[in-house]
């Protein structure tokens, strides 16, 4: 069994460290001729926490109770299997102060941003890219499209909701649209419950920016000074209860 995976989205503005599909959705290819039909595709949601339990299952070994995910072995033989109802993601400090959480279903993406006062152009490696320099120049010249100018937006929305099917690039925030109030509140409650069960917190003293958000230059007064990690006060690293989602 050969698994081919990726880390995160591309290191470009609006991709890496963003809670959209461009930043969170990653390639996942499994080669297993004895079990998987060549060329088969599955749209089932799986999460990184499910990978280890699946490997244990394939090896006929019982997974430790501390593993939060479940085995998606059934998806390998039946790609149409509905496996996971929700997938979650988080954006913490990555060169810049941040605290974002995301819940995704097959149809919607919901994002909660606890640091909406900041822009989110991406981490330092994205800021050093030719793509970002081109966007920075176009921003100064006031010729960016609304989608392109998103990376310079501040303050940002504290909540975002997107229809995956109708808005695959996640450009049209549905928060405030009464037609989607039900989906908004349902996903908000699910995300808050997930944060509670995993011991997630929103510390006041998060790690500050180590680099400027326009040039990527080191900020000497902040550099290598760490704040409180989310979940630290509740010892989230010791919470091993089973994922209920």
């Amino acid at each position: 069994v050969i698994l081919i995976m990726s880390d995160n989205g591309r290191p470009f503005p609006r991709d890496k460290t963003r809670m959209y599909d461009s930043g969170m959705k990653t390639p996942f290819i499994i080669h297993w001729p004895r079990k998987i039909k060549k060329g088969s595709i599955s749209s089932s949601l799986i999460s990184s926490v499910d990978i280890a339990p699946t490997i244990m299952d394939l090896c006929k070994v019982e997974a430790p109770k501390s593993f939060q995910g479940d085995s998606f072995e059934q998806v390998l033989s039946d790609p149409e299997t509905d496996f996971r109802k929700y997938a979650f993601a988080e954006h913490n400090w990555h060169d810049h102060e941040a605290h974002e959480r995301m819940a995704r279903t097959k149809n919607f993406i919901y994002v909660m941003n606890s640091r909406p006062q900041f822009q989110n152009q991406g981490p330092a490696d994205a800021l050093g890219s030719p793509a970002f320099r081109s966007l920075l120049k176009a921003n100064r010249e006031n010729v960016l499209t609304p989608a392109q100018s998103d990376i310079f937006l501040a303050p940002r929305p504290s909540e975002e909701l997107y229809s995956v099917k109708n808005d695959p690039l996640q450009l049209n925030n549905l928060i405030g649209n009464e037609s989607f109030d039900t989906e908004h509140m349902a996903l908000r409650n699910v995300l808050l419950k997930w944060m509670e069960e995993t011991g997630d917190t929103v510390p006041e003293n998060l790690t500050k920016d180590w680099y400027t958000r326009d040039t990527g230059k080191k900020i000497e007064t902040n550099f290598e000074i760490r704040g409180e990690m989310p979940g630290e006060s509740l010892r989230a690293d010791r919470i091993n209860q089973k994922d209920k989602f």
Side-chain angles (χ1 to χ4, degrees):
V1 183
I2 302 173
L3 280 70
I4 302 171
M5 300 180 292
S6 167
D7 178 12
N8 47 244
R10 301 170 300 176
F12 290 116
R14 207 181 182 276
D15 291 344
K16 188 175 179 181
T17 75
R18 297 302 289 267
M19 297 283 94
Y20 311 136
D21 278 348
S22 57
M24 292 294 119
K25 188 177 181 180
T26 58
F28 192 71
I29 303 170
I30 303 179
H31 175 76
W32 190 11
R34 185 169 63 85
K35 189 89 171 182
I36 301 175
K37 183 180 179 181
K38 183 178 180 180
S40 59
I41 298 174
S42 175
S43 60
S44 296
L45 283 178
I46 65 170
S47 176
S48 57
V49 297
D50 302 315
I51 296 172
T54 302
I55 292 174
M56 301 287 282
D57 190 17
L58 297 183
C59 295
K60 307 301 180 185
V61 178
E62 186 177 354
K65 292 182 179 179
S66 60
F67 283 14
Q68 290 181 306
D70 289 304
S71 170
F72 54 81
E73 189 272 340
Q74 187 178 349
V75 178
L76 305 183
S77 55
D78 182 8
E80 298 300 320
T81 299
D82 256 344
F83 173 69
R84 175 178 280 276
K85 189 173 182 180
Y86 304 98
F88 302 92
E90 58 183 37
H91 170 210
N92 297 307
W93 180 92
H94 194 306
D95 300 326
H96 303 106
E97 181 175 349
H99 191 291
E100 291 181 280
R101 300 294 183 261
M102 181 268 278
R104 192 194 194 283
T105 66
K106 278 190 174 182
N107 297 318
F108 291 94
I109 289 176
Y110 171 73
V111 180
M112 182 182 294
N113 187 357
S114 299
R115 289 296 186 272
Q117 66 268 39
F118 297 127
Q119 300 172 349
N120 188 354
Q121 301 97 318
D125 55 349
L127 299 185
S129 69
F132 180 74
R133 289 195 294 270
S134 294
L135 287 166
L136 199 62
K137 180 176 181 294
N139 188 49
R140 289 195 296 266
E141 296 170 354
N142 198 31
V143 294
L144 291 179
T145 67
Q148 292 169 333
S149 62
D150 169 81
I151 64 170
F152 300 107
L153 179 65
R156 300 193 56 77
S158 58
E159 293 183 285
E160 299 172 64
L161 178 71
Y162 300 97
S163 168
V164 175
K165 180 180 179 180
N166 299 323
D167 184 18
L169 297 180
Q170 289 92 64
L171 298 174
N172 180 29
N173 186 4
L174 299 174
I175 296 294
N177 185 330
E178 294 182 357
S179 300
F180 296 94
D181 282 350
T182 300
E183 289 82 3
H184 170 206
M185 295 311 300
L187 276 173
R188 188 178 193 273
N189 289 335
V190 164
L191 182 60
L192 289 173
K193 184 65 175 177
W194 176 77
M195 291 174 67
E196 177 186 344
E197 293 190 356
T198 57
D200 197 7
T201 60
V202 188
E204 183 66 30
N205 180 33
L206 291 170
T207 302
K208 307 299 181 185
D209 292 4
W210 284 9
Y211 303 90
T212 60
R213 296 184 182 236
D214 52 356
T215 63
K217 291 183 178 179
K218 185 189 299 184
I219 302 175
E220 297 292 347
T221 54
N222 294 346
F223 194 67
E224 294 190 343
I225 299 175
R226 292 283 187 182
E228 181 183 338
M229 284 293 293
E232 184 177 333
S233 62
L234 297 180
R235 301 191 71 187
D237 59 327
R238 302 289 181 177
I239 297 176
N240 292 323
Q241 65 186 22
K242 197 69 174 173
D243 181 356
K244 296 180 180 179
F245 300 99

